[in-house]
């Protein structure tokens, strides 16, 4: 099974309840189980999306928002989600999160990114486009364009809904 990036939209109260469960449980179980409709599997798209933005000259503010959307922030203590045997991302870096305010800001900036225009700025030849992006883009069946558009749209829509609902976003690799 491949390690892929996961995101979950959760209310602050849910995260607090998980923290409390971990503290109260003898084995540190946070009872982390966000609803399936509020979880997004971004596969390996984060590095590819960032590279797309870099390679096509995406505005620095928008590029930073894209990075933050897939990197999160370490300002919210999530150590309770990173403790054996219940760690949610045991194969990657420690889980990170964005506060509801950060989600709102990132969501607004993601909405300003014109992904089709970025993809159109890539070389016309799929092999050349994949080579420019790197990070294994040459291994994507059918080329990277459809893959990147699908994952960018999913990321943008995920954040739009999280912002509308004033939710936090927790990120991890699993």
């Amino acid at each position: 099974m491949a390690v892929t990036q996961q995101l979950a939209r959760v209310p602050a109260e849910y995260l607090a309840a998980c923290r409390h469960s971990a503290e109260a449980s003898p084995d540190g179980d946070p009872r982390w189980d966000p609803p399936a409709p509020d979880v997004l599997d971004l596969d390996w798209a984060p590095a590819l999306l960032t590279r797309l933005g870099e390679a096509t000259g995406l505005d620095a503010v928008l590029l930073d928002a894209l990075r933050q959307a897939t990197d999160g922030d370490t300002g919210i203590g999530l150590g309770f989600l990173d403790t054996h045997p219940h760690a949610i991302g045991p194969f990657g870096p420690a889980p990170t999160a964005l506060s509801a305010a950060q989600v709102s800001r990132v969501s607004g900036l993601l909405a300003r990114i014109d992904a089709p225009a970025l993809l159109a700025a890539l070389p016309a030849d799929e092999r050349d486009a994949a080579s420019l992006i790197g990070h294994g883009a040459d291994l994507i069946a059918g080329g990277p364009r459809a893959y990147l558009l699908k994952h960018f749209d999913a990321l943008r829509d995920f954040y739009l809904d999280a912002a509308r609902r004033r939710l936090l976003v927790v990120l991890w690799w699993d």
Side-chain angles (χ1 to χ4, degrees):
M1 183 166 136
V3 177
T4 61
Q5 185 168 44
Q6 308 293 309
L7 292 85
R9 298 178 287 228
V10 298
E13 297 80 13
Y14 179 78
L15 201 57
C18 289
R19 183 178 285 111
H20 177 73
S21 292
E23 291 168 355
S25 171
D27 66 349
D29 186 356
R31 304 218 188 292
W32 173 259
D33 189 22
D38 285 320
V39 176
L40 174 64
D41 183 341
L42 264 188
D43 197 41
W44 283 95
L48 298 168
L49 289 169
T50 298
R51 183 63 191 130
L52 171 65
E54 292 168 349
T56 58
L58 182 63
D59 173 81
V61 171
L62 299 178
L63 184 58
D64 285 344
L66 181 58
R67 284 187 184 118
Q68 190 173 28
T70 58
D71 291 346
D73 190 312
T74 57
I76 297 175
L78 298 177
F80 66 95
L81 292 176
D82 196 29
T83 304
H84 181 76
H86 303 287
I88 66 170
F91 305 110
T96 61
L98 294 178
S99 68
Q102 290 171 310
V103 166
S104 179
R105 178 184 170 280
V106 165
S107 172
L109 292 169
L110 289 177
R112 292 178 36 202
I113 296 174
D114 185 349
L118 296 180
L119 294 167
L122 291 173
D125 181 82
E126 286 291 339
R127 286 175 297 193
D128 291 343
S131 178
L132 180 63
I133 294 169
H135 298 283
D138 59 323
L139 302 175
I140 299 171
R145 291 180 207 285
Y147 176 87
L148 290 171
L149 184 59
K150 172 186 168 189
H151 286 84
F152 176 79
D153 286 348
L155 180 68
R156 182 199 58 226
D157 294 348
F158 187 84
Y159 270 92
L160 284 171
D161 186 60
R164 181 185 58 78
R165 295 166 52 199
R166 299 180 184 265
L167 299 175
L168 290 77
V169 172
V170 176
L171 306 93
W172 71 100
W173 286 86
D174 190 18

